[in-house]
Structures are given as C-alpha cells and as structure tokens.
Amino acid sequence: MTGSRPERDAAVRNLANALRGLQQRSGRTLRALEAQVRISDSSLSRYFRGESVPVWSVVRDLCRAMGADPAEFRAAWEAADRARRGEEGEARPLDPGLRPALDKSLDAAVDAAPEAAAGPPRRRGRAWWRRPGGGLTRGGVVAVAATATAAGSLVTWMLAALLLPLGGLDAPQAQGAPGEAGVVVHNAEKVCRKPRTHDCALSLAYDPYRPYVRSNAAGRVWHHDLLQARCTVADGVTVTDENGKHSSIWIQVTRDGGQVWLPGIRVAPDELDQLARLLPRCTP
C-alpha cells in the first residue's frame, strides 16, 4: 500500500478532472463517446466523476476519440491506478480470537477433501458451480473458511455445506455439443447488489459483436438473477465494468424463449472460468 488515503483520492480526482476537462473541451457527448469507445455512458460518467478508475486502454481510446495525445495523460492514469490498487489491497486483520477455530476448520476440511474425491461416484448434474476434476484446493478452502469465520459459529456449517457439492463431483466436460448450465448474474458495484432499480439494472445484448450500448440492449437483469447458459464466445466486444475490469467473453443465455447474450464481465470471475470450461463454444 502506498501513500495515505487523501493522497490516493487526490490521484483519482486528478485523472477524473483531466478526462472531464478533455470531454468538455472536445464538445463530445457521453452518448457519442459510448458508441466510439464501446464503453457504456454510465461507466464513462463514473470515470469522469472519479468514482472508478478505467484501465489504460480505455483512457487511451478516450484520448484518441477526443483528439488528444494519450501520452499526456499517462502519468495521471498511473498515479490513479496505483491508488486504486492500493485501496483494493487494504484488508482488515483477522480477529486473533478467531484464528484457532479457523486453523482447526481449515485442517479438517483439507484432510476431508481427498476422501470425498475418492468416494463412490455420485449422480451427474448440470450445476455450474461444480469443479471439474475433484475436490477443493487448499486455497479454495481458505476462501470458504475465511468467509465463514466472519459469522463465527457458522464455520463448520459453511464448510460442510460447500464441501459436499464441490468435493469429488464430476462436472460434464464440453465437447462441442450444445449444453446448458445455470449462470448467476454478478454486479461489480456493491451498492447495486440488492436494489432492483433502473439504475442498478444490467443489460443483455442481441449481438456480442456489436457495441454494448442501448441500441443493442435485449432486456435487463439484476445481481443474483439466475439464467440458463448454452454456450460461449471468447472474441466478442470487450466490455469494461464499473471497477475497470474487462472481458471479451460472452455467454449465450435463454430469455423469454429466445437466445440473447450476457457479457462475461457480468459474471463473477471464478464462475466465468468454470462456465468457459463447462460450456461448448457457440457456433457462428
């Protein structure tokens, strides 16, 4: 972690002010920039307000779209990006009183996982959360245990509940044939994970190779909605979320009897990796 919180906030504001000033001088509207750089106007608005930091490729494309030299903005972006990464790296220390319970639960879970993997075969299913090839890694157990310890007495229950489906279950492997799997929508903005309002809605699209803008919108979904996924493409239009992460993976889903598309960036990263392995590639 580098610098104090006020210094990091100042670096993000400096980049936002520079980009907003460039936009005002260029006379370009958010709608016009949205179509040219393929970033939603709501994301652009957040960048210009300093609520999130774009990746460098977005800053570069914005500068070119507005007739500016990207090199003049590189230093401001690097400072803001360091500030963003420094803030993401902050973590609250674990309560020392919870450490013994966590260590005990972790050791028990790691010891139990191989036994589950070696047990009798279970009935196959289509659950997207099943991990191909066996049980949890130690890192996976750490993540589960760390989450559960926040609730204190829920450690044992959480580990038992999660190890049952994850440990030793075989997931079907995609071999190019059509298939289906459940996919849960994920909103990168924490403030939008409960409200089902217009501002917190995420768009589906008709075509993964067209810009992710209103003219390509095929309906709305919200955080934690469950959709049926059929296949994926890896070379669609790159979509950047509100936290500056980006992906060109798209997932074909069933909605109201038709086939539309969910940007892969609207799925939690670990779940997207599993879907990419589980589902076949979409045929042209």
Side-chain angles (χ1 to χ4, degrees):
M1 181 173 62
T2 59
S4 65
R5 179 61 180 267
E7 290 173 345
R8 297 198 299 272
D9 290 346
V12 174
R13 285 197 305 271
N14 183 54
L15 175 65
N17 291 338
L19 293 176
R20 185 169 62 252
L22 177 61
Q23 185 226 351
Q24 293 171 348
R25 292 193 299 274
S26 71
R28 303 295 301 279
T29 64
L30 290 180
R31 184 67 62 84
L33 290 173
E34 175 187 59
Q36 187 165 353
V37 301
R38 297 181 176 181
I39 301 293
S40 69
D41 59 355
S42 60
S43 293
L44 292 174
S45 180
R46 291 183 181 88
Y47 299 153
F48 294 158
R49 294 198 303 265
E51 294 179 2
S52 59
V53 178
V55 294
W56 170 246
S57 60
V58 172
V59 175
R60 179 198 62 205
D61 292 347
L62 281 171
C63 291
R64 290 173 177 171
M66 293 184 286
D69 182 1
E72 297 178 2
F73 294 79
R74 181 74 190 194
W77 174 80
E78 288 179 350
D81 187 59
R82 284 195 301 270
R84 176 187 60 81
R85 287 186 281 110
E87 183 171 336
E88 287 179 350
E90 292 180 348
R92 295 176 59 188
L94 180 67
D95 185 343
L98 295 176
R99 173 58 64 182
L102 172 60
D103 290 342
K104 183 177 180 180
S105 299
L106 175 60
D107 291 340
V110 172
D111 291 341
E115 295 177 4
R122 295 178 173 87
R123 182 179 180 181
R124 291 177 179 266
R126 290 180 174 176
W128 55 265
W129 36 258
R130 290 179 177 171
R131 173 183 171 177
L136 288 174
T137 63
R138 187 178 183 90
V141 175
V142 169
V144 172
T147 301
T149 50
S153 62
L154 293 179
V155 174
T156 304
W157 182 87
M158 286 290 291
L159 286 172
L162 288 173
L163 281 173
L164 179 60
L166 288 171
L169 288 178
D170 295 325
Q173 298 297 310
Q175 301 293 336
E180 283 192 353
V183 55
V184 178
V185 177
H186 176 80
N187 195 322
E189 293 187 285
K190 293 182 179 180
V191 297
C192 277
R193 291 180 182 174
K194 288 187 178 180
R196 295 181 67 86
T197 62
H198 177 81
D199 291 341
C200 288
L202 302 173
S203 293
L204 300 170
Y206 289 112
D207 188 342
Y209 298 104
R210 288 170 50 197
Y212 187 51
V213 295
R214 285 189 179 89
S215 60
N216 190 24
R220 295 182 177 273
V221 290
W222 284 264
H223 180 72
H224 216 257
D225 280 358
L226 176 64
L227 305 173
Q228 284 298 114
R230 301 185 68 252
C231 56
T232 65
V233 297
D235 59 347
V237 167
T238 298
V239 178
T240 303
D241 70 13
E242 290 71 22
N243 289 336
K245 308 296 183 181
H246 56 279
S247 174
S248 61
I249 297 175
W250 287 71
I251 305 160
Q252 189 181 71
V253 298
T254 302
R255 185 68 179 269
D256 297 330
Q259 306 306 321
V260 292
W261 296 86
L262 174 72
I265 200 66
R266 301 310 192 187
V267 178
D270 55 339
E271 296 169 13
L272 179 60
D273 291 342
Q274 294 186 47
L275 281 170
R277 293 193 300 266
L278 177 66
L279 293 172
R281 295 286 183 266
C282 300
T283 57

